Amino acid sequence: MEKIKNITKVTDNPFVNLYNLDVINRKGRNSKYYVASRAKEIESLELSTKQQKADGVIIYSLYGEKHDRVVLIRQYRYSIDNYIYELPAGLVELGEDFHDTAVRELREETGLTLHPVHADASFEKPFYTTIGMTDECCGTVYGYADGEISRDMLEDSEEIEVVLADREEVKRILREERVAIVCAYMLMHFLHDREPFAFLKAVD
């Protein structure tokens, strides 16, 4: 059985850190594994606390009187030295409920106001992003957005263009552009669900 023997914190950064794990693999051999985490200390890692929580939030929102456009951001990312289409998202602050984070982050990144819709807890709960390399979990908040686009609250490190994409533009984006995988899945829903948020109906 696999087992973690020791954990060493490798970096000391404000937003993400690397942890080195000394492990015993399934064949009983000593091995190394690396985990990136939002946790600032070993004691806060999920593998230490065994508690799943939302580190961040992803926001899927529709815009316009007919709810026929989806709110996207086109953001520069250092990891690929290029732009990628994503859903608006952000980190949950200490003590903050991720639903409140969603309203705050959409305002900061786009200038728009989010009006969340009720969703069954099974659709909103935190899910893992890339479990092979990180313990990061993100909740998802769904809703309608209105207001005027603004870049006034962007941080200096954020290079973001707000995109209100209709179905034809979404088809082009999926076909031609770099797209984050969670965003891509939600855009597939947007293309085929004529009733907004029909997929959020609880499954009996």
Side-chain angles (χ1 to χ4, degrees), residues 98-203:
F98 71 84
H99 298 84
D100 297 329
T101 304
V103 174
R104 175 178 57 76
E105 284 289 345
L106 193 73
R107 171 74 72 173
E108 290 174 2
E109 289 192 352
T110 70
L112 301 176
T113 300
L114 178 68
H115 305 278
V117 300
H118 173 75
D120 188 84
S122 61
F123 295 104
E124 288 189 332
K125 74 174 192 176
F127 291 103
Y128 298 95
T129 54
T130 310
I131 195 59
M133 62 181 293
T134 178
D135 64 356
E136 182 185 56
C137 262
C138 287
T140 306
V141 174
Y142 312 86
Y144 299 105
D146 59 26
E148 299 295 325
I149 292 172
S150 171
R151 295 166 51 91
D152 292 346
M153 287 178 278
L154 288 179
E155 297 178 11
D156 292 345
S157 60
E158 293 177 316
E159 189 171 337
I160 290 174
E161 173 191 350
V162 182
V163 177
L164 304 176
D166 62 15
R167 285 183 169 83
E168 288 306 311
E169 178 62 3
V170 164
K171 290 177 186 177
R172 186 198 69 78
I173 289 169
L174 288 172
R175 187 172 58 247
E176 300 176 7
E177 302 286 353
R178 290 172 172 80
V179 185
I181 191 167
V182 173
C183 179
Y185 289 152
M186 298 312 298
L187 292 182
M188 293 172 198
H189 271 298
F190 177 72
L191 286 178
H192 295 287
D193 293 346
R194 296 301 167 178
E195 178 187 345
F197 305 118
F199 63 93
L200 291 179
K201 292 179 180 177
V203 179

